[in-house]
Amino acid sequence: MSPFPPSDEASGRGVISICKGPDGRSMLNQLAYAYPMKLISPSPTPNGRSVTVFALTYGGGLVSGDRTQLSVRVAPSSRVSLLTQGSTKIFKAAGRDVVTRQEMHVTIQGDGAFVYLPDPVQPFGESVYRQEQVLHVESTESSFCMLDWVCEGRSARGEAWDMWSWTSKNEVRSRRDGAEATTPADALILRDHVVLDDDRDGLSPETLRRRMDGLAVFGTLIIFGKLLDPLGRFFLEEFACLPRIGVSYVPQRPQQTHLSAGKGPRDERHQDERANGILWTAASVRGCVVVKFGAPDLEQGRAWLCRMLRDEGTLEKVLGEECLHCLK
């Protein structure tokens, strides 16, 4: 007898559907999954602003050849936070041609909001991993914030970017209501594609390690939509105030603006970033704000991102403090 609950979903598939309930609050309309994927949603709190769903894997990771496919649909005026309960471990591959895959397709309707702030992917030595995350926004009112990050592996065992291959592709597409994904209406807004490959152009694993230049974690944060516009502007304005190469660092006076009032001086954050070796950049691309960051230590990177999101405050205001669970 199988120890897993019965499911109508094919192996590795999961479905999350969020809608607006009769009381005006977001609620689960559908939650289904099949091994090796597992989805759980805790009971909502009395003051909860969104539905929280945790995406898990049995044993805490994916073994060679595993594949998961997750479909998420967010109805108008509903909110959902998709999180994890720990890093997604990618175990050693049986061979370079045996790929472990994860795919996620998200459709956001009307003024719905989707936030994906997981723990990082942790590829073990000699692992092969590819992931693809596609977000379809069906309205100019749709909003999302998505974090995609990866750490160096099992540092306690001496691993440092020793995987065979790690590939991540993120796409944002605009789709008119009712249009199919294959129609011309499914227009590409943004594509972000990162490849870390120890054998790319004949390079050795040591060369890949050197190319990471001492970073233990590397990530991408993508912000889109009207609800989260203040958060995107915050990152752009903070990046514009960073000291530039060739310019002497002069601490700025604390500025009490709508972005930083009561949350700690901007120059204090700059000093912490310099002391902890945090590197980051931000740019606006066709309505999306794309933030790239790296840190020499996973927990330093986690603390920096959590501080930035909390100092600005929009995510907690719109979706509740639960959405930052993985960054605390």
Side-chain angles (χ1 to χ4, degrees), residues 149-169:
W149 56 333
V150 58
C151 63
E152 61 187 342
R154 295 171 291 185
S155 56
R157 298 188 60 176
E159 292 183 354
W161 309 107
D162 292 331
M163 63 280 200
W164 278 337
S165 178
W166 182 91
T167 303
S168 178
K169 182 169 70 173

Side-chain angles (χ1 to χ4, degrees), residues 14-193:
V15 177
I16 302 171
S17 180
I18 308 296
C19 64
K20 185 177 180 180
D23 60 356
R25 299 171 61 188
S26 300
M27 61 175 286
L28 273 172
N29 186 44
Q30 183 182 9
L31 186 70
Y33 59 89
Y35 180 88
M37 179 186 292
K38 184 175 183 179
L39 302 171
I40 60 174
S41 180
S43 300
T45 60
N47 299 320
R49 298 184 178 91
S50 69
V51 173
T52 300
V53 179
F54 288 91
L56 316 175
T57 52
Y58 292 91
L62 298 171
V63 299
S64 179
D66 273 351
R67 181 179 183 180
T68 66
Q69 296 172 288
L70 177 61
S71 174
V72 182
R73 180 170 291 273
V74 185
S77 302
S78 56
R79 314 277 185 267
V80 60
S81 300
L82 181 58
L83 312 172
T84 58
Q85 289 188 327
S87 62
T88 300
K89 299 167 181 63
I90 311 300
F91 291 93
K92 179 180 177 180
R96 287 182 179 270
D97 58 342
V98 183
V99 182
T100 302
R101 302 175 185 269
Q102 287 202 102
E103 300 170 16
M104 180 172 68
H105 289 260
V106 181
T107 300
I108 308 171
Q109 301 174 319
D111 59 347
F114 171 76
V115 168
Y116 182 46
L117 294 176
D119 291 280
V121 174
Q122 184 181 25
F124 290 178
E126 299 183 1
S127 61
V128 180
Y129 175 75
R130 294 177 188 170
Q131 70 177 23
E132 179 178 297
Q133 298 169 142
V134 183
L135 294 100
H136 301 275
V137 291
E138 296 194 347
S139 168
T140 56
E141 302 293 314
S142 303
S143 302
F144 71 82
C145 176
M146 183 179 70
L147 174 62
D148 174 18
W149 56 333
V150 58
C151 63
E152 61 187 342
R154 295 171 291 185
S155 56
R157 298 188 60 176
E159 292 183 354
W161 309 107
D162 292 331
M163 63 280 200
W164 278 337
S165 178
W166 182 91
T167 303
S168 178
K169 182 169 70 173
N170 300 305
E171 290 187 352
V172 181
R173 292 181 173 271
S174 175
R175 182 193 304 170
R176 292 196 302 268
D177 292 341
E180 296 296 328
T182 55
T183 68
D186 189 49
L188 180 66
I189 298 176
L190 173 74
R191 175 179 289 134
D192 179 81
H193 198 180

